[in-house]
Amino acid sequence: MSDSRLLYLNENSRKFAGFNKQSSPFIIIGIPMDITSSYRPGSRFAPNSIRDAAQYIEFYSIRTGIDMGDVGFNDVGDIILHPSSVEENLSRISSVINYFHENKKIIISIGGEHTISAGVIKGLQKEGLCIISFDAHLDLRDEYMGYKYDHACVMRRISEYGVKILEIGSRAISREELEYARRNGIAFFTPQQIRLLGVKEVARKIINSTQECKSLYISIDMDGLDPAYAPGVATPEPEGLDPTTLLDIINLIVDKRVVGFDIVEISPPYDISGITSVLGAKIIMETSASIYKAKLL
């Protein structure tokens, strides 16, 4: 791969579940950026932690009937990141993502803090792109501690790209973010609403809200899940989603328009038992199976 956009891509000897299947439609990219974490840093260690955990889970998805052992993944390694410049890193992320998107690959990005999603979305450069974000936080602040590229601002920056945003699992919200969401038509569902309405009704509302979208991207901040299921995250928040609810919603909403997804904000130093990395690996397996069934079968 000699394309200049891959200048900052470095092969990693650790592969997701040991996969290095170049013919797979799924590309795994590690993005170990952890610069603006405001509470529990360490998400830079997550790509390798999730890769290692993936070796010990089954590849067959009962939910979809897809065996991801047959489909496989092409783990191309990690993006080489600047130690302190988020803006430079977003540029590097955008270039690498753009290369694989142009080559018709379904991109799975493993962070890293949630800020990486801004670089991924920029790299996709898709007119009519919508993002469905599972997250405890709206991440719609204009700035945090004087900085516009903090992980608490990522959806605000993405909205400024002209991308439609839907947020699922929201429960930690500032007044500023709520006002911005209302002004800009950014819909969100709290865990309480999801429990009241049920998975199928929430999925129906998401599908109806994304009918005009030409392509879809799914971002999964692991703090969207309750800390009982995902304790090792950078910014845990009680009263979250359970894994089955998250995966059932994803399975119901994915279709042929999905161009990729990410897993972000796992912090292995706070994941003493390792179960958050295991859950992250499981979510990658199940989400990939849902996409494969909807998009490629």
Side-chain angles (χ1 to χ4, degrees), residues 154-167:
V154 60
M155 290 299 150
R156 181 72 165 258
R157 302 287 82 83
I158 288 173
S159 76
E160 292 168 354
Y161 297 161
V163 174
K164 181 173 180 175
I165 297 170
L166 282 86
E167 306 218 48

Side-chain angles (χ1 to χ4, degrees), residues 5 31 86-99 101-102 107 109 114-127 129 131 149 154 157-163 217 259 262:
R5 287 172 291 182
I31 312 180
V86 176
E87 293 93 331
E88 169 63 21
N89 287 336
L90 293 182
S91 176
R92 295 182 185 188
I93 293 165
S94 173
S95 294
V96 173
I97 295 298
N98 185 251
Y99 171 86
H101 177 62
E102 284 191 357
I107 300 160
S109 301
H114 208 167
T115 310
I116 71 159
S117 300
V120 174
I121 293 296
K122 193 170 185 179
L124 293 173
Q125 295 182 347
K126 296 284 285 185
E127 182 181 350
L129 175 65
I131 182 170
Y149 289 96
V154 60
R157 302 287 82 83
I158 288 173
S159 76
E160 292 168 354
Y161 297 161
V163 174
Y217 184 83
V259 293
D262 62 48

Side-chain angles (χ1 to χ4, degrees), residues 171-225:
R171 57 196 185 276
I173 301 169
S174 70
R175 181 171 297 179
E176 173 200 355
E177 292 173 299
L178 185 59
E179 291 173 354
Y180 184 87
R182 288 171 173 169
R183 288 198 310 269
N184 291 275
I186 298 174
F188 61 90
F189 295 89
T190 68
Q192 292 85 355
Q193 289 173 318
I194 295 168
R195 282 189 283 270
L196 180 65
L197 294 171
V199 166
K200 288 185 178 180
E201 178 61 16
V202 170
R204 186 188 68 80
K205 288 180 177 292
I206 295 170
I207 291 168
N208 288 342
S209 296
T210 57
Q211 285 183 346
E212 79 277 18
C213 304
K214 294 181 180 178
S215 55
L216 300 174
Y217 184 83
I218 299 171
S219 183
I220 304 165
D221 185 326
M222 290 292 286
D223 68 30
L225 295 158

Side-chain angles (χ1 to χ4, degrees), residues 59-71 288-290 292-293 297:
F59 303 149
Y60 184 83
S61 166
I62 295 176
R63 181 179 276 103
T64 62
I66 301 298
D67 191 338
M68 289 307 298
D70 294 335
V71 179
S288 300
S290 293
Y292 187 81
K293 184 174 183 179
L297 278 188

